[in-house]
Structure formats: structure tokens, C-alpha cells
Amino acid sequence: VSERHTQTSGALQRLIDHPRLVPALIVAAGVAVLAVAFAAQIWGGIQPCVLCLYQRYTYGVAIGFGVAGVAVGQWPRARQAAVALAGLAFLCVTAIAAFHVGVEQHWWRGTAECHAPAFDPNASIDQLREQLLSTHFVACDEIPWSLFGISIAGYDMIVSLILAVATLWAARRIGAGRTS
């Protein structure tokens, strides 16, 4: 059993030390998550709230670090830094998604952008109509879809946490198999 574990561990280390594999997987994972989000929006009709958009932007940051990791793949320390930064970006997504779940569950209030805009009580009917028609708003505390009692934000929290842990673990292992 010990020899098999050593062989498996060695094979895994060789994959991690491949110059561009881990960063490419980061890019692929980030793109896949964003593809699901955009598919839910375009074909599922689920409009994102501001917290959803913050999560998407942060996935974009992780993808950017993944691309940087691919670009500097031949330099283990630079690749390790890019992968670690991508892991921290995934961790930020996890924090935003956890906050979003709390807002959905009414454990705390969301950001100012999470709430309907205030309207001028002295405005005319025409001014109010114009303001309503020009304002795009999706409440952060409404759950547009859930499965097994878990909302989209909840699933995003789970997925981004797994990505953060895996990415940060890989960042620690980059270069660990070197003999120099």
C-alpha cells in the first residue's frame, strides 16, 4: 500500500509540476463556472443581482491569474505565485457567495445596491415612471432558483471553496518535486 501511495503521489506531483497544466485547469474551471452563470441568465432567464456580478468579476480575476500562470509556466516561482493568487481570488468568490447566502437567508442586510433604489416622494408621476423604466434592479435577497434547498449562491460558495482549496493546495505543491 505504501509503494502504491508513493507512486500515486509521484504521478500527481508530476502533473502539478507540468508547466501549464494547473494554470490551464484554473482557466477552464473559471470559464466553466461563468458559462453556467451566463447560460442560466440567457436561457434560464435568471437575472444576476449585484452580488452575483461581484462573484462573476472575481472569477474573471482568477481566470486572469490562470492565464498569467500559463504565460509564465516555465518559471516555477512565477507560476506558483499566479496559481496562489488565483486561489485567493477563488477564496474571495467564496466569501462573496457566503455573504450572498446570508443576505438570501435574511441573516444580514446586503449592500446598498442590493436594495431597491429610493424614489423622490416629490417627483411627478411622469418622473417616477421615467425613473422606474430606466432603473434595472434585481434584489439580492430573493432566491430565483434552488435545488435541495441550496440556492445558486450556495452552490457557488461550495464550488468556489473547492476550487480555492484545490488551487491553494496545488500552489503549495508546485516545485515540491524538484531535487534542487
Side-chain angles (χ1 to χ4, degrees), residues 36-37 40 46 52 55 97 100-101 104 143-147 150-158:
V36 169
I46 299 173
C52 296
Q55 290 163 244
H100 194 174
V101 168
E104 289 176 338
I143 300 173
W145 181 90
S146 68
L147 180 64
I150 302 173
S151 69
I152 298 170
Y155 281 108
D156 193 30
M157 183 178 68
I158 294 165

Side-chain angles (χ1 to χ4, degrees), residues 61-75:
V61 170
I63 291 168
F65 284 126
V67 169
V70 169
V72 299
Q74 295 300 340
W75 299 285

Side-chain angles (χ1 to χ4, degrees), residues 29-43:
V31 167
V33 169
L34 288 179
V36 169
F38 284 115
Q41 179 179 345
I42 294 167
W43 293 298

Side-chain angles (χ1 to χ4, degrees), residues 160-178:
S160 60
L161 180 59
I162 291 168
L163 290 172
V165 169
T167 303
L168 292 170
W169 176 84
R172 284 194 52 172
R173 299 293 305 164
I174 290 175
R178 288 191 306 255

Side-chain angles (χ1 to χ4, degrees), residues 3 9-10 15 22 26 28 32 48-49 61 65-66 73-76 87 94 97 106 111 125 145 154 157 161 164:
E3 185 178 325
S9 178
L15 287 174
V22 172
I26 289 167
C49 71
V61 170
F65 284 126
Q74 295 300 340
W75 299 285
T94 304
H106 302 280
T111 65
I125 296 295
W145 181 90
M157 183 178 68
L161 180 59

Side-chain angles (χ1 to χ4, degrees), residues 93-169:
V93 177
T94 304
I96 296 167
F99 179 75
H100 194 174
V101 168
V103 171
E104 289 176 338
Q105 297 301 317
H106 302 280
W107 296 336
W108 46 72
R109 288 182 52 84
T111 65
E113 295 86 9
C114 286
H115 306 287
F119 294 104
D120 180 8
N122 298 321
S124 70
I125 296 295
D126 289 334
Q127 290 170 325
L128 286 173
R129 181 181 303 123
E130 179 61 33
Q131 192 174 4
L132 279 171
L133 293 175
S134 66
T135 302
H136 174 73
F137 174 73
V138 177
C140 300
D141 63 348
E142 293 179 11
I143 300 173
W145 181 90
S146 68
L147 180 64
F148 307 118
I150 302 173
S151 69
I152 298 170
Y155 281 108
D156 193 30
M157 183 178 68
I158 294 165
V159 168
S160 60
L161 180 59
I162 291 168
L163 290 172
V165 169
T167 303
L168 292 170
W169 176 84

